[in-house]
Structure formats: C-alpha cells, structure tokens
Amino acid sequence: SDAQRHLFARHDGLRAAALRTAWQRDRGVAVLKAAARTDPLTGLLNRAGLLEALEGRRDGAVLFIDLDRFKPINDRLGHRVGDLVLEEVARRLGSVSRGADIVARLGGDEFVVVAPGVGPGIADDLRCRLMSTLNRPAAIDGHMVDIRATVGLADIAADVAGTALDRADADMLRRKSGAHDRVESPSI
C-alpha cells in the first residue's frame, strides 16, 4: 500500500541521515586527530605526531635541527617573516628527506628528521646534506635572511631506553657550543 511505501521510504531516509551523521562525526574525529598531530604553520608532524611515529622504531637515525640566530630574525623583521622562515626550513627539509623519512617541527625553531633503516655512515651524510641545504640565505618577504642551523644526530638502534630524540638534541647542543663541523655558505 501507499502508506507502507511511504513508511519504508521515510525509514530509509532516516537511516541514510543517521549514516551521514555518523560518517560526518567519524570524519570530524579523524580531522581533529590529524590536527592534534600536525604543526599548523608548516603542516609537518608536531611533537605528539613525532613521538607516535617514533614508537616501536628499532633502526635508523634521528636528526635534531635547531635554527641558529632565529630570535634576532623575529625581533628585527617581525613574527610574520619568522613564520615564513620556518615554512622555508620545512620546505627545504622536505626537499632533502627521502620518502620514508619522517619530518617534524617540535615547536619554535626546532625540527626533527627520522631516517628509518639508515646506519651511522649514511646518517652522517644526511646530516651534512641537511646542513648544506639549510645553511643558505633566502629571499623572504623582501628581506635577505641568513638561515643557519645546527644538526645533531643519534642512532635509533643504539637506543635501548627510547631516548634517541634526547640524544640527538644533546648532540646538536654539543655541536652548537663547539661550532665545529658546520657547513658554511658564502655571504650574500
């Protein structure tokens, strides 16, 4: 009868609406989870996303990158230019990293590259490539900005206590204080 068809059509419509609502809710949850793991400025993983990605890793290298003299860029040229510098650094890191590498911004002017399956020799080559790529001036918003970075390195395989990130940070600080083995670029 027409009444039954109308009732079934209404039921199907309500069921479809409920499915749409559930799908939108699930999609919203997925978007929120992704946002919680992503740095909003650069689109890279943030600290939470990086720690999740590092979980259970047994091989490879962690490279800890800290920008040198970043505060004076913010102070002299403003936070807008500072943000553009951070975006440029993220772009440069992406251009040097391999497809399997994990690139993250921890916050401020600190970045990390995790290179799975890489031994110490290749990791040091990657560190040198990162420094060569990062330590170059960039034209940003009408300013020539001298980007400089120090890169620390730690082997994940040697990491029995889950502290590769801390050891890479300590290596970066050691290198920064010693200012040795930096790859310098010509002044412009």
Side-chain angles (χ1 to χ4, degrees):
S1 80
D2 284 344
Q4 284 178 327
R5 272 186 253 138
H6 178 69
L7 183 60
F8 286 130
R10 180 161 167 71
H11 178 269
D12 286 346
L14 290 173
R15 188 168 157 231
L19 288 173
R20 254 191 323 275
T21 301
W23 178 81
Q24 289 170 339
R25 183 196 65 234
D26 291 348
R27 186 168 179 234
V29 168
V31 167
L32 288 175
K33 282 182 179 179
R37 299 176 61 238
T38 305
D39 174 55
L41 179 66
T42 62
L44 299 175
L45 288 179
N46 61 16
R47 180 179 297 275
L50 174 67
L51 293 175
E52 185 179 308
L54 274 172
E55 218 170 275
R57 294 231 176 249
R58 300 281 181 247
D59 70 338
V62 175
L63 297 104
F64 196 104
I65 300 119
D66 185 70
L67 299 183
D68 303 333
R69 301 183 313 249
F70 181 71
K71 185 178 179 338
I73 293 170
N74 264 342
D75 291 347
R76 198 176 81 247
L77 302 175
H79 291 282
R80 175 175 148 56
V81 172
D83 286 351
L84 293 171
V85 168
L86 295 172
E87 290 172 352
E88 174 64 14
V89 168
R91 188 192 64 70
R92 288 181 183 187
L93 290 173
S95 74
V96 175
S97 61
R98 306 166 308 150
D101 293 347
I102 299 162
V103 183
R105 177 176 172 230
L106 296 185
D109 62 350
E110 296 178 336
F111 294 82
V112 170
V113 174
V114 178
V118 168
I122 294 172
D124 196 54
D125 290 345
L126 177 57
R127 187 184 68 77
C128 290
R129 278 196 339 230
L130 286 171
M131 289 177 57
S132 292
T133 300
L134 292 173
N135 290 341
R136 293 179 302 154
I140 296 184
D141 202 35
H143 303 278
M144 189 55 71
V145 179
D146 191 27
I147 298 174
R148 294 278 182 246
T150 305
V151 181
L153 177 61
D155 182 18
I156 294 174
D159 187 27
V160 292
T163 60
L165 187 59
D166 293 335
R167 288 186 301 103
D169 185 16
D171 184 55
M172 181 277 302
L173 290 171
R174 182 185 60 79
R175 291 174 190 277
K176 189 178 284 259
S177 68
H180 74 288
D181 79 346
R182 291 179 183 239
V183 177
E184 297 293 332
S185 64
S187 305
I188 290 184

